[in-house]
């Protein structure tokens, strides 16, 4: 067979092609690798566990990372662990940990299934050095301090009795909404590679980080996030230029919604200094918004009944007509032993109008502190950093994705017109038909009866938050909703572990320097990037192989020519013989 053809069809040729691709785009190599089963037999891998204790449930995520590549400008390559079926190692339980407010001593038992699941996946020999973080969000934030403290105390005392992870008092905490927003922002930008060096085709921005005498740096444009959970809502986006405040009050308010942080391993490396505008809205998550709406329905309807001596909502045959429940759905709401009977009207437009007041709009701006702070008389009037709607990109997570995907099946690129049409149709579909569709598995696997019931409300709430609250123009072209990006589940937990391990590379670097004391050019060179290094070795080996094969071919050809010459001489010799 022709050698060239053989070579082109060979694994060798394809490997070289793939290797060249990866040499030019090492990012692709990392993406491909991160979808593989995690090699638990590799002793060099490090592990980390984050438990997200949300208002509606708790989930455990197991992450791992190879040793740092030695370049102080790159972050740890943290990936979600995958089991032998390549499935992400994640487990979820319901309800939320805040339901243990009155029985805090059960907190560690409650988390036991999640922690033993993680313990079964992380190699036993690694448990001692594997950090475990138990981070609680809005459900816990809504509890009084004493109840929060009692739950955390139980975890800090009991978890180490059963599990051998690296876990201390500071590893169990109720994080602020601001932290949650920043972590979500870090998570998605990391997965999208926006913290890497910019390629020519990337959209870049000039960034002034505020450091003294610092020239603007050109960096990849980062994406903004909106994350709507069960109880709280976060928005976070990078503010590329230094902000000037016109008054000390404005500065005070402004600083409370700006997060300045350095993701680099060392304060001297300013390449990864970011200034992010982040605001959290407690009570604005999908479930809490519905709860607030129902509270008001009960109060207002009963007050009206008293005033007008009517009986609206007092019995099943005289229900309150709720525009935000699907047509024909009967439901009840009970508050303080008072029950209100509801019947779905399925009217999207009226539902939008009904939910809008719950945004707490004040001079056209949503209250960053949420309704609770407004009720306490604290009102923050800072309007937030303006979003450049013509040069930005946003990702919507959790309810933004579930609202679009679970039943409407349109998660991904957001288009306000298509979305409101689909939501209008959903709301006006008869409840019996919706249930039939659920039984026929026409919705996503995650959709359950509760999703069906509140979809109409939640989709209107999401729409209002986006367009009336955050004032995104209806033709904004760059909003995507997502749960998986490059096949990775993007959660704020990923950002949390990245942030919490940001100094680990420094430790590795210092140890390496002490041990080997290499010249500095070597440390910063590609020799310390183990991917590139092994690929180069492979390329060299393949080149040598090809060279040897080619030499053999030349040698064989020469041999054949020599034999032919010998034959010719022999024949000529015979002919000359008398
Ligand atoms: N479709 C789908 N729904 C989910 C999933 N996880 C949670 N939900 C639902 O989405 C709503 C919001 O849940 P999350 O986004 O997990 O919010 P949370 O962490 O509980 O709430 P916060 O504490 O406010 O952050 C709840 O009603 C959940 O039942 C999921 O993986 N898929």
């Amino acid at each position: 067979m022709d050698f060239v053809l053989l070579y082109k069809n060979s694994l060798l040729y394809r490997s070289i092609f793939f290797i060249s691709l990866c040499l030019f785009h090492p990012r692709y190599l990392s993406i491909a690798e991160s979808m593989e089963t995690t090699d638990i037999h590799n002793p060099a891998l490090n592990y980390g566990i984050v438990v997200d204790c949300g208002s509606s449930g708790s989930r455990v995520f197991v992450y791992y990372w190879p040793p740092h590549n030695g370049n102080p400008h790159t972050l740890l390559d943290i990936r979600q662990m995958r089991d032998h079926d390549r499935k992400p190692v994640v487990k979820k339980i319901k309800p939320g940990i805040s339901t243990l407010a009155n029985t805090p001593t059960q907190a560690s038992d409650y988390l036991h299934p999640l922690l033993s699941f993680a313990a079964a996946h992380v190699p036993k020999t690694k448990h001692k050095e594997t950090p475990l973080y138990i981070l609680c969000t809005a459900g816990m934030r809504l509890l009084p301090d004493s109840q929060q403290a009692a739950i955390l105390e139980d975890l800090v005392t009991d978890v180490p009795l059963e599990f051998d992870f690296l876990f201390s008092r500071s590893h169990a905490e109720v994080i602020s909404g601001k932290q949650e927003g920043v972590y979500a922002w870090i998570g998605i930008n990391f997965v999208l590679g926006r913290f890497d060096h910019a390629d020519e085709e990337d959209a870049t921005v000039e960034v002034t980080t505020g450091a003294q005498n610092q020239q603007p740096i050109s960096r990849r444009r980062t994406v903004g996030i909106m994350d709507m959970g069960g109880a709280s809502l976060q928005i976070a986006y990078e503010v590329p230029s230094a902000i000037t405040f016109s008054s000390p009050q404005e500065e005070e308010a402004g600083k409370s919604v700006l997060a300045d942080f350095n993701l680099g391993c060392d304060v001297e490396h300013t390449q990864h200094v970011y200034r992010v505008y982040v605001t959290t809205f407690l009570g604005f998550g999908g479930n809490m918004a519905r709860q607030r709406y129902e509270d008001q329905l009960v109060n207002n309807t009963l007050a009206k009944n008293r005033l007008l001596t009517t009986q609206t909502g007092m019995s099943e045959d005289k229900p309150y007509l709720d525009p935000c429940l699907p047509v024909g759905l009967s439901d009840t709401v009970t508050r303080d032993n008072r029950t209100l009977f509801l019947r779905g009207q399925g009217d999207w437009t009226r539902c939008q109008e009904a939910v809008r007041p719950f945004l707490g709009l004040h001079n056209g701006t949503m209250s960053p502190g949420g309704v609770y702070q407004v009720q306490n008389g604290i009102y923050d009037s800072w309007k937030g950093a303006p979003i450049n709607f013509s040069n930005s990109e946003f990702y919507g997570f959790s309810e933004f994705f579930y609202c679009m995907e679970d039943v409407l099946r349109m998660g991904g690129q957001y288009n306000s017109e298509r979305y409101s049409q689909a939501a209008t149709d959903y709301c006006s579909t008869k409840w019996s038909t919706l249930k039939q569709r659920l039984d026929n598995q026409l919705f996503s696997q995650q959709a359950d009866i509760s999703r069906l019931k509140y979809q109409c409300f939640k989709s209107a709430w999401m729409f209002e938050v986006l367009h009336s609250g955050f004032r995104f123009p209806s033709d904004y072209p760059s909003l995507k909703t997502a749960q998986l990006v490059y096949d990775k589940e993007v959660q704020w937990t990923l950002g949390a572990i990245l942030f919490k391990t940001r100094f680990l590379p420094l430790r590795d670097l210092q140890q390496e320097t002490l041990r080997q004391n290499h010249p500095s050019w070597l440390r910063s060179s590609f020799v310390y990037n183990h991917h590139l290094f092994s690929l180069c070795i492979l390329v060299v080996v393949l080149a040598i192989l090809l060279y040897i094969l080619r030499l053999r071919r030349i040698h064989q050809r020469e041999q054949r020519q020599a034999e032919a010459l010998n034959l010719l001489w022999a024949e000529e010799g015979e002919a000359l013989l008398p």
Side-chain angles (χ1 to χ4, degrees):
M1 194 191 291
D2 182 64
F3 177 74
V4 177
L5 240 179
L6 183 76
Y7 162 69
K8 277 204 160 177
N9 287 332
S10 70
L11 195 66
L12 205 74
Y13 176 76
R14 276 179 276 157
S15 313
I16 289 182
F17 178 77
F18 182 69
I19 287 164
S20 331
L21 189 75
C22 292
L23 271 176
F24 288 113
H25 284 285
R27 217 182 314 157
Y28 296 135
L29 182 71
S30 170
I31 291 166
E33 271 180 4
S34 65
M35 290 181 199
E36 291 298 315
T37 293
T38 306
D39 180 7
I40 49 170
H41 303 294
N42 180 352
L45 296 187
N46 306 286
Y47 297 84
I49 301 168
V50 186
V51 182
D52 160 13
C53 297
S55 61
S56 63
S58 296
R59 314 98 205 170
V60 66
F61 296 90
V62 181
Y63 296 101
Y64 75 97
W65 57 94
H68 186 250
N69 68 13
N71 180 347
H73 296 296
T74 56
L75 308 177
L76 278 178
D77 186 9
I78 296 186
R79 305 159 187 182
Q80 197 171 0
M81 187 180 184
R82 286 180 183 258
D83 65 14
H84 44 76
D85 294 326
R86 299 182 185 176
K87 285 214 298 275
V89 177
V90 48
K91 187 178 169 76
K92 308 185 178 191
I93 52 169
K94 280 182 178 178
I97 197 168
S98 53
T99 53
L100 303 175
N102 296 319
T103 50
T105 51
Q106 289 174 16
S108 48
D109 295 335
Y110 160 85
L111 283 187
H112 194 272
L114 298 187
L115 297 179
S116 41
F117 174 81
H121 282 85
V122 175
K124 194 103 192 76
T125 50
K126 292 279 178 179
H127 282 201
K128 264 191 168 41
E129 62 197 61
T130 298
L132 161 68
Y133 297 99
I134 301 178
L135 306 177
C136 309
T137 56
M140 283 277 272
R141 263 178 240 141
L142 287 166
L143 296 182
D145 288 351
S146 58
Q147 289 184 332
Q148 293 181 20
I151 289 177
L152 295 179
E153 189 58 40
D154 182 72
L155 296 176
V156 170
T157 316
D158 287 357
V159 167
L161 302 180
E162 278 209 66
F163 300 95
D164 214 7
F165 299 124
L166 198 59
F167 181 67
S168 62
R169 190 163 282 275
S170 65
H171 285 203
E173 58 174 324
V174 179
I175 60 169
S176 67
K178 197 171 161 184
Q179 274 171 292
E180 195 180 342
V182 167
Y183 292 157
W185 182 87
I186 294 174
I188 179 65
N189 282 293
F190 176 74
V191 167
L192 292 174
R194 301 296 167 99
F195 298 141
D196 300 346
H197 287 292
D199 290 338
E200 269 170 26
E201 73 266 27
D202 291 320
T204 54
V205 281
E206 293 283 310
V207 179
T208 325
T209 56
Q212 274 188 346
N213 305 326
Q214 197 217 28
Q215 293 299 312
I217 8 175
S218 179
R219 274 203 305 232
R220 274 196 181 165
R221 191 181 67 191
T222 54
V223 302
I225 64 104
M226 283 175 281
D227 191 357
M228 186 190 287
S232 72
L233 161 73
Q234 280 74 236
I235 184 167
Y237 47 94
E238 189 177 6
V239 191
S241 50
I243 294 178
T244 46
F245 301 102
S246 59
S247 67
Q249 290 88 336
E250 199 180 69
E251 182 167 357
E252 199 54 37
K255 281 191 174 157
S256 71
V257 287
L258 287 172
D260 290 302
F261 53 92
N262 187 352
L263 279 183
C265 59
D266 180 341
V267 278
E268 280 165 25
H269 291 112
T270 52
Q271 183 67 27
H272 289 299
V273 169
Y274 295 95
R275 165 165 280 199
V276 171
Y277 166 80
V278 51
T279 312
T280 180
F281 300 83
L282 195 56
F284 282 55
N287 299 337
M288 266 308 265
R290 176 73 198 178
Q291 224 168 293
R292 292 197 283 129
Y293 171 88
E294 288 179 351
D295 289 348
Q296 207 185 70
L297 276 192
V298 173
N299 289 339
N300 286 359
T301 314
L302 295 183
K304 228 183 208 169
N305 280 347
R306 266 197 302 274
L307 208 69
L308 305 173
T309 56
T310 47
Q311 292 292 310
T312 309
M314 292 297 100
S315 62
E316 223 178 323
D317 51 327
K318 227 169 173 277
Y320 175 89
L321 295 179
D322 183 350
C324 297
L325 289 178
V327 172
L329 166 65
S330 296
D331 200 12
T332 54
V333 179
T334 303
R335 298 282 188 277
D336 304 327
N337 294 327
R338 300 172 304 174
T339 299
L340 188 70
F341 289 82
L342 305 179
R343 173 82 49 81
Q345 219 186 12
D347 187 330
W348 158 262
T349 313
R350 282 200 51 217
C351 180
Q352 278 177 282
E353 284 159 14
V355 301
R356 203 167 297 138
F358 293 87
L359 295 173
L361 293 177
H362 187 91
N363 292 337
T365 315
M366 276 202 295
S367 156
V371 280
Y372 296 94
Q373 290 194 9
V374 172
Q375 280 169 357
N376 291 337
I378 305 161
Y379 187 79
D380 185 346
S381 67
W382 194 65
K383 287 197 167 42
I387 300 172
N388 184 347
F389 290 117
S390 57
N391 181 21
S392 61
E393 222 182 314
F394 270 81
Y395 274 75
F397 295 113
S398 301
E399 281 290 11
F400 282 99
F401 179 72
Y402 309 143
C403 277
M404 277 184 71
E405 179 58 22
D406 278 5
V407 296
L408 304 184
R409 310 314 300 262
M410 56 195 311
Q413 181 64 44
Y414 173 80
N415 173 305
S416 71
E417 215 172 291
R418 282 200 317 121
Y419 176 72
S420 45
Q421 186 55 55
T424 308
D425 293 346
Y426 179 87
C427 292
S428 61
T429 304
K430 276 213 248 140
W431 178 241
S432 53
T433 311
L434 294 175
K435 274 207 308 199
Q436 190 62 53
R437 288 183 190 165
L438 182 71
D439 292 342
N440 294 344
Q441 299 179 340
L442 293 179
F443 300 129
S444 91
Q445 269 186 351
Q446 278 72 29
D448 54 14
I449 204 82
S450 156
R451 171 62 51 189
L452 250 56
K453 224 166 137 179
Y454 300 117
Q455 171 67 29
C456 182
F457 174 90
K458 285 184 173 181
S459 52
W461 178 243
M462 174 192 137
F463 190 90
E464 284 304 308
V465 162
L466 189 62
H467 296 295
S468 305
F470 294 141
R471 311 238 215 132
F472 274 68
S474 56
D475 59 351
Y476 182 70
S478 310
L479 169 62
K480 292 191 187 81
T481 65
Q483 183 168 28
L484 295 181
V485 175
Y486 294 143
D487 211 30
K488 297 177 187 181
E489 189 163 342
V490 183
Q491 294 280 353
W492 61 260
T493 48
L494 172 62
I497 190 116
L498 260 164
F499 187 77
K500 286 178 182 291
T501 56
R502 68 196 185 283
F503 296 124
L504 293 186
L506 184 65
R507 191 193 60 187
D508 290 352
L509 282 173
Q510 283 168 345
Q511 280 174 356
E512 194 63 23
T513 315
L514 278 176
R515 209 173 54 220
Q516 298 191 355
N517 202 15
H518 275 307
S520 60
W521 67 267
L522 197 58
R523 259 200 321 268
S524 57
S525 77
F526 74 100
V527 176
Y528 268 71
N529 180 331
H530 71 285
H531 287 323
L532 269 186
F533 186 57
S534 30
L535 284 175
C536 289
I537 296 272
L538 203 66
V539 169
V540 170
V541 170
L542 289 175
I544 293 172
L545 253 172
L546 278 177
Y547 186 66
I548 293 171
L549 283 172
R550 205 171 152 69
L551 272 184
R552 263 185 59 183
R553 249 189 99 213
I554 292 169
H555 181 68
Q556 280 167 354
R557 201 187 316 138
E558 281 176 356
Q559 243 183 355
R560 276 201 302 276
Q561 280 173 352
E563 278 167 13
L565 266 179
N566 282 344
L567 202 69
L568 201 68
W569 286 338
E571 279 170 5
E572 277 176 4
E574 270 173 28
L576 288 174
L577 281 177

